[in-house]
Amino acid sequence: MAGTRTRRTDAELVAAIRSAVITELNEVGLGKLTMENIALRAGTAKTSLYRRWSTPQAVLLDALQAEFPQEHPTPSTDNLRQDLIDALKLMVRWMATPTAQAVVTILMERQRHPELAEAIYTHVFDAKGGRFTSTVLHTYADAGKLDPNFLTPVVTDIGEALVMKKTFDSGELPSDETITAIVDQAILPAIGKKTDS
Amino acid sequence: MAGTRTRRTDAELVAAIRSAVITELNEVGLGKLTMENIALRAGTAKTSLYRRWSTPQAVLLDALQAEFPQEHPTPSTDNLRQDLIDALKLMVRWMATPTAQAVVTILMERQRHPELAEAIYTHVFDAKGGRFTSTVLHTYADAGKLDPNFLTPVVTDIGEALVMKKTFDSGELPSDETITAIVDQAILPAIGKKTDS
């Protein structure tokens, strides 16, 4: 195995391993994910995996967490509508990645791997702000621009729910027009805001 | 095969065939659905299937359509909130049935069977009112109790989207409390109504 190692920085090696575990998952599935195969695909030795992670699932969770995007509201908190649109666009761009496909694969197999599905919520989604639009909404509430009482578990889920539903129904990722309609027609009314476009 | 036939009314026979095709689908999958196996499971002859339908997919679509529930708004159209809650409860009850499981199976395999997935939308969902809550919303708009301009494709999808999202995230069907919160916090604001509870 040592012969397949190339001179890479630590960061490059970790990036290669993260990419390898996601490709492996999407090709062979959760049941056949091994340290051996991840190492092979990343062109490294099993020992360099075990130095950082103890199981293939740990490698996977780390990769999912690293690739999951985090929304960044405008620091001046003066453009709620655009920040919400940008948050959902970020979600849609992520949904087109192999990482998102890996997340769907795992959540679909939740019956067989309940701890791993649970870990995705706690170590990936919650670690990056919980739900798309929710970091934006809470930032505006903290800045006094929005009544925090509006931010219930239902309301912070409206954007993600509609993006997922539209994708599921059409088999295609929602357009920018659909994203804008979701913000204007569903999210803003639910937080007591009129559309200001 | 004739020996396995029992004396059933036409309606009983059709009901047995509908139940058989859904069980077959959930047990063997779309790829292995045959007239032979449906007939066997329904305890009838293949000929009595061919008298009514030309393909296993046609039997399946007919069964899905027959089992898909249709919401019925209060005729006096004076209780929009409760009618919306009832529509989502109807959806949640349906989601617990083998028919719903069959629909999910087919939609998951949409890549391999695009026409069948498409047919579910046109012959099942649209034939029964499109989306849960949408028949209710349009009935109230027709009665002049609601501005029809609110009823966009996004807004008539809010209820279903949130029920699906909550189910997907938790792995459990939403409680009555969650359904009520969806109506009060997401649907009613989107159609310009304050919660009147």
Side-chain angles (χ1 to χ4, degrees):
Chain A
M1 292 295 293
T4 67
R5 251 183 276 178
T6 56
R7 288 182 179 280
R8 290 182 282 195
T9 64
D10 251 32
E12 283 167 346
L13 178 62
V14 166
I17 293 169
R18 284 177 177 156
S19 162
V21 70
I22 286 171
T23 311
E24 269 296 298
L25 176 75
N26 289 336
E27 286 189 10
V28 308
L30 257 182
K32 291 180 180 163
L33 205 61
T34 63
M35 289 303 224
E36 183 98 42
N37 291 343
I38 300 167
L40 252 177
R41 191 179 287 267
T44 188
K46 245 192 331 185
T47 47
S48 51
L49 265 73
Y50 277 116
R51 213 172 302 136
R52 292 173 178 87
W53 305 279
S54 54
T55 64
Q57 281 77 12
V59 187
L60 180 60
L61 273 174
D62 178 77
L64 296 176
Q65 211 263 343
E67 304 292 327
F68 195 76
Q70 167 78 58
E71 63 199 40
H72 293 287
T74 314
S76 53
T77 61
D78 57 1
N79 203 343
L80 175 57
R81 177 175 180 266
Q82 191 59 48
D83 281 344
L84 289 170
I85 291 172
D86 290 346
L88 293 184
K89 283 187 181 170
L90 191 69
M91 174 182 180
V92 169
R93 277 200 303 275
W94 174 76
M95 286 171 78
T97 64
T99 314
Q101 193 192 325
V103 166
V104 171
T105 302
I106 297 167
L107 294 181
M108 283 305 166
E109 294 208 49
R110 128 187 278 151
Q111 308 267 317
R112 258 186 291 175
H113 304 273
E115 342 66 43
L116 191 59
E118 184 64 29
I120 286 189
Y121 282 86
T122 53
H123 292 300
V124 182
F125 300 160
D126 292 352
K128 292 289 183 84
R131 299 281 179 274
F132 288 96
T133 74
S134 123
T135 299
V136 166
L137 291 169
H138 283 285
T139 302
Y140 278 78
D142 291 348
K145 310 263 174 94
L146 186 62
D147 180 349
N149 291 317
F150 281 121
L151 305 188
T152 65
V154 163
V155 169
T156 53
D157 232 356
I158 292 175
E160 278 200 9
L162 281 162
V163 167
M164 282 176 57
K165 180 68 158 58
K166 294 294 182 195
T167 307
F168 188 78
D169 282 349
S170 70
E172 286 171 15
L173 293 173
S175 65
D176 287 357
E177 289 67 33
T178 300
I179 289 174
T180 304
I182 290 171
V183 170
D184 286 343
Q185 299 166 16
I187 304 179
L188 290 177
I191 54 174
K193 304 273 179 193
K194 295 251 184 255
T195 305
D196 52 29
S197 70
Chain B
M1 294 294 293
T4 67
R5 251 183 275 178
T6 55
R7 290 183 179 277
R8 288 182 282 194
T9 64
D10 251 33
E12 283 167 345
L13 179 61
V14 167
I17 294 169
R18 283 175 178 156
S19 162
V21 70
I22 287 170
T23 311
E24 269 296 298
L25 176 76
N26 289 337
E27 286 189 10
V28 308
L30 256 182
K32 292 181 181 161
L33 206 60
T34 63
M35 289 302 223
E36 183 97 41
N37 290 344
I38 300 166
L40 253 177
R41 193 180 284 269
T44 188
K46 247 196 322 189
T47 48
S48 51
L49 264 75
Y50 278 115
R51 214 172 299 138
R52 292 174 178 86
W53 305 280
S54 52
T55 64
Q57 281 78 12
V59 187
L60 180 60
L61 273 175
D62 178 77
L64 296 176
Q65 211 264 342
E67 304 291 326
F68 196 76
Q70 167 77 59
E71 63 200 38
H72 293 287
T74 314
S76 53
T77 60
D78 57 2
N79 203 343
L80 175 57
R81 177 174 180 265
Q82 191 59 48
D83 281 345
L84 290 170
I85 291 172
D86 289 346
L88 292 184
K89 283 187 182 171
L90 191 68
M91 173 182 181
V92 169
R93 276 199 302 274
W94 174 76
M95 286 171 78
T97 65
T99 314
Q101 193 192 325
V103 166
V104 171
T105 302
I106 297 167
L107 294 181
M108 283 304 165
E109 293 208 49
R110 126 186 281 151
Q111 309 266 316
R112 260 186 289 175
H113 304 273
E115 340 69 42
L116 191 61
E118 184 65 29
I120 286 190
Y121 282 87
T122 53
H123 293 300
V124 182
F125 299 159
D126 292 351
K128 293 289 183 87
R131 299 280 180 276
F132 288 96
T133 72
S134 124
T135 299
V136 166
L137 292 169
H138 283 285
T139 302
Y140 277 79
D142 292 347
K145 310 262 173 94
L146 187 60
D147 181 348
N149 291 317
F150 281 121
L151 304 188
T152 65
V154 163
V155 170
T156 53
D157 232 356
I158 292 175
E160 278 200 9
L162 282 164
V163 167
M164 282 175 58
K165 180 69 158 57
K166 294 294 181 194
T167 306
F168 188 77
D169 282 349
S170 70
E172 285 172 16
L173 292 173
S175 65
D176 287 357
E177 288 66 34
T178 301
I179 289 174
T180 304
I182 291 171
V183 170
D184 287 342
Q185 299 167 16
I187 304 179
L188 290 177
I191 54 174
K193 305 273 179 193
K194 295 251 186 255
T195 306
D196 51 30
S197 68

